[in-house]
Amino acid sequence: MSIQRACNKLVDDFRSRPTLRAGSLITTVFGDAIAPRGGTVWLGSLIKAMADFGISERLVRTSVFRLAKEGWLQSEQIGRRSYYSLTADGRERFEQATNRIYGQPLAEWDGEWCLLLLSALDTTRKEQARKEFGWLGFGPLSPNVLAHPSPEPPELAVTMQRIGVENSLVIMRGTTVRSDTAMRALTHDCWNLDENNARYSDFVQRLRPVYKALAGKQRVAAQAAFLIRTLLIQEYRKVLLRDPWLPAELLPADWQGAAAYQLCRNLYLGVYAEADAHLDRVMESADGPLPPPSRAFTRRFGGLDQFEKAG
């Protein structure tokens, strides 16, 4: 299969879904492509870029308006043009997601757990805490106890402050003692690992043909590279942000998360540069083309700059 045919199949699959998640895809484009390149884009150029995914101008405008209303985006009017960028809250959430999406899976674990005790929170705050800390990978050991083996302290602190529970949430650390079998069983149930594993397996099956086509050393056109890169991160993000990122000791023997990471990383490395070339031509800020990617961008997946040197 040619890389262009594989790309077309990927786009056709996205377009054929019963519900076209335009807002979700625009969120992916902001996080993957726009945020590391200045963070601001002219709405007209975003409309042009999204047309290749089968998303109409009307749907782009509606989705961007909704994202702004939800506090993700903010707009600035310059002349007759509207420019959109992430809000402060949007940037904070994107940074958390970025660390997960482009970071490397856990290699080691010290055996300790971080426990969040919710008993001091009222019902509304408890529900909010379960949802927000759930995005950080915390699972419910009981109705009033959330747990995770290796949360990121900065993300934990930022989330506590954002939802206003820093003075009422009790945080403890603990270690399991002679209960490995029971802990594995509890972990399996708390985080619904079978469902996550099935999602990873489906991701690998759908994206592997694209990688095989790319691995044939075919040249990928800039536009196709942008489409592949965006849909790759869109699909990986949907699976990964449901994954609690548990250490290998607690995962099933047939866990597909590692294979999904390697596939995503290798495919991203193969198309990101050409995709950026497409962004240079299509996307605009108030000052013209988007600025070059930030230094943080080159650290994605363990180092894009190292890949370039190796190539």
Side-chain angles (χ1 to χ4, degrees), residues 94-164:
F94 267 73
E95 286 173 5
Q96 288 183 349
T98 295
N99 292 336
R100 292 283 302 277
I101 295 168
Y102 307 99
Q104 296 173 293
L106 294 173
E108 297 180 355
W109 178 45
D110 60 8
E112 286 197 348
W113 290 83
C114 177
L115 306 176
L116 306 181
L117 277 59
L118 311 180
S119 54
L121 305 180
D122 60 35
T123 302
T124 301
R125 285 292 179 86
K126 280 182 184 179
E127 288 303 316
Q128 186 180 18
R130 291 188 188 105
K131 178 181 178 181
E132 292 292 335
F133 292 119
W135 285 114
L136 300 186
F138 280 84
L141 293 187
S142 73
N144 287 319
V145 180
L146 303 180
H148 194 278
S150 52
E152 292 289 338
E155 293 184 1
L156 180 58
V158 166
T159 301
M160 290 173 59
Q161 185 176 22
R162 184 173 67 244
I163 64 177

Side-chain angles (χ1 to χ4, degrees), residues 19-306:
T19 303
L20 195 61
R21 298 289 301 279
S24 178
L25 192 65
I26 290 171
T27 298
T28 294
V29 171
F30 261 91
D32 182 65
I34 298 172
R37 300 193 57 172
T40 301
V41 67
W42 171 43
L43 179 59
S45 61
L46 181 63
I47 289 170
K48 182 178 180 180
M50 300 309 295
D52 294 327
F53 297 98
I55 299 176
S56 67
E57 175 179 347
R58 180 175 178 275
L59 189 52
V60 173
R61 290 183 181 276
T62 300
S63 300
V64 167
F65 176 79
R66 185 177 296 116
L67 288 170
K69 189 174 181 179
E70 293 173 352
W72 287 91
L73 301 178
Q74 58 190 1
S75 64
E76 180 183 8
Q77 195 75 22
I78 301 179
R80 299 179 63 182
R81 290 187 168 190
S82 296
Y83 296 86
Y84 281 84
S85 60
L86 295 171
T87 62
D89 187 52
R91 286 195 302 272
E92 180 183 290
R93 290 172 178 267
F94 267 73
E95 286 173 5
Q96 288 183 349
T98 295
N99 292 336
R100 292 283 302 277
I101 295 168
Y102 307 99
Q104 296 173 293
L106 294 173
E108 297 180 355
W109 178 45
D110 60 8
E112 286 197 348
W113 290 83
C114 177
L115 306 176
L116 306 181
L117 277 59
L118 311 180
S119 54
L121 305 180
D122 60 35
T123 302
T124 301
R125 285 292 179 86
K126 280 182 184 179
E127 288 303 316
Q128 186 180 18
R130 291 188 188 105
K131 178 181 178 181
E132 292 292 335
F133 292 119
W135 285 114
L136 300 186
F138 280 84
L141 293 187
S142 73
N144 287 319
V145 180
L146 303 180
H148 194 278
S150 52
E152 292 289 338
E155 293 184 1
L156 180 58
V158 166
T159 301
M160 290 173 59
Q161 185 176 22
R162 184 173 67 244
I163 64 177
V165 297
E166 65 270 30
N167 295 322
S168 51
L169 186 70
V170 178
I171 304 176
M172 301 180 66
R173 288 197 174 274
T175 305
T176 53
V177 180
R178 296 184 182 179
S179 56
D180 290 350
T181 301
M183 194 67 242
R184 279 179 176 272
L186 181 61
T187 298
H188 187 277
D189 293 337
C190 284
W191 282 276
N192 199 359
L193 297 183
D194 286 341
E195 186 175 332
N196 283 333
N197 209 24
R199 289 193 183 101
Y200 274 129
S201 180
D202 180 64
F203 169 83
V204 171
Q205 293 302 317
R206 286 188 293 109
L207 273 298
R208 183 176 284 154
V210 184
Y211 177 66
K212 285 184 176 180
L214 184 68
K217 303 300 181 181
Q218 301 177 42
R219 182 183 177 278
V220 56
Q223 182 188 43
F226 170 68
L227 296 174
I228 292 170
R229 176 175 138 182
T230 302
L231 291 175
L232 170 70
I233 296 301
Q234 167 78 354
E235 298 304 314
Y236 189 58
R237 178 174 70 91
K238 288 194 304 182
V239 181
L240 184 75
L241 294 185
R242 294 174 180 266
D243 180 0
W245 260 28
L246 301 178
E249 296 96 306
L250 300 174
L251 295 172
D254 64 342
W255 185 247
Q256 296 297 301
Y261 170 79
Q262 288 297 332
L263 175 61
C264 185
R265 175 183 182 273
N266 293 339
L267 186 49
Y268 196 90
L269 292 173
V271 299
Y272 84 92
E274 288 297 332
D276 262 359
H278 183 68
L279 293 171
D280 290 339
R281 292 193 289 268
V282 175
M283 296 289 195
E284 293 182 39
S285 69
D287 299 318
L290 299 182
S294 65
R295 181 61 183 170
F297 174 82
T298 65
R299 293 195 288 269
R300 290 180 172 182
F301 293 112
L304 301 179
D305 51 351
Q306 294 180 15

